[in-house]
Amino acid sequence: MKDGIIYWNVDPEIFTLFNTFPIRYYSLSWAIGCGLLYLVVKKVYQKEKIPLENLDQLTMYILIGGLLGARLGHCFFYEPEYYFQNPLEILLPIRKVGESFQFIGFQGLASHGGLTGIVIAIFLYVRKTKTNILWIMDRVAFGSGLMAASIRIGNFMNSEVYGKPTNGNWGVVFERDDLIPRHPTQLYEAAAYLLIFVVLMFVYKSKKIRRQNGLMVGIFMILMFTARFMIEFVKENQVGFEDSMSINMGQILSIPLILLGFGIIYYGKKPVANNGYSK
């Protein structure tokens, strides 16, 4: 640190397995985030006396749906032209370099796509198990702030998804890219998501409030994507075509999700007496 400015130059790779497979902070942050989400929802299930076998099945749906949705979201929202020309790279952790392929892991994951994938996965789960979709989404939303915060910390470790230059006497210089002090927007988002988790924790403690199906997931979506929308104003655009837009792709995708959050709260405003596994 010098004159209030942090100089950041951490190697995104922690180590390489068998001299072939790089283990990155970003991948680790996803794993930690998923683990934190599972532990929070597990505690909720135990508190509400729901068999953990139901959670194990739900977890598999969410993991597959979240990762698949995040990957497809990045490919189709941010780099559609490239991935339409290289479809193998959408679902395989490789990239064509010259005439050969190189293992690079999944370096493009979009939070909007991840959320969409999780919602679809939960829909498929409740369709099979005949449970209440809003009840399930409320419990998953409770711990999702921790997962989102962990992922953004992974972005910070990777020196990616950072902010615009700041003229203040503080900021972070991501030396892997340039020597300009920038807004550490990854940390802004991580702090916002942790705060959302705290808000939902207080909401959940009120037995009367949490009986309203859809309230917690609605609050989560409104707060998360409002924070995302605001922080995008000081974040660098992720792809070139956003430079000509008045608001960027992250903000455009956030607006319908904020509105959906209000819609879910309105739809589920009638309190219910039973949990999602009661018939």
Side-chain angles (χ1 to χ4, degrees), residues 66-77 79-96 101 104-110:
L67 287 171
L68 186 59
R71 182 58 178 168
L72 293 176
H74 171 82
C75 295
F76 296 147
F77 293 150
E79 297 184 82
E81 184 176 348
Y82 175 83
Y83 284 103
F84 281 139
Q85 294 176 0
N86 301 275
L88 281 178
E89 296 180 26
I90 295 176
L91 297 179
L92 297 178
I94 58 174
R95 171 152 290 189
K96 189 173 183 180
F101 288 92
I104 61 169
F106 294 115
Q107 297 185 15
L109 298 171

Side-chain angles (χ1 to χ4, degrees), residues 30-45:
W30 262 88
I32 292 174
C34 290
L36 291 173
L37 173 60
Y38 177 82
L39 290 175
V40 170
V41 180
K42 178 181 178 181
K43 190 170 183 178
V44 170
Y45 269 53

Side-chain angles (χ1 to χ4, degrees), residues 133-144:
I133 187 169
L134 291 183
W135 187 93
I136 295 290
M137 291 175 68
D138 278 338
R139 274 63 190 172
V140 173
F142 185 14
S144 294

Side-chain angles (χ1 to χ4, degrees), residues 140-183:
V140 173
F142 185 14
S144 294
L146 291 177
M147 180 178 179
S150 178
I151 291 170
R152 281 298 179 243
I153 291 172
N155 291 135
F156 181 76
M157 299 300 293
N158 269 11
S159 297
E160 62 188 3
V161 198
Y162 46 64
K164 296 177 180 178
T166 172
N167 294 323
N169 59 352
W170 65 280
V172 176
V173 173
F174 296 97
E175 295 185 72
R176 299 183 67 84
D177 286 343
D178 55 39
L179 296 177
I180 302 173
R182 297 179 176 277
H183 288 282

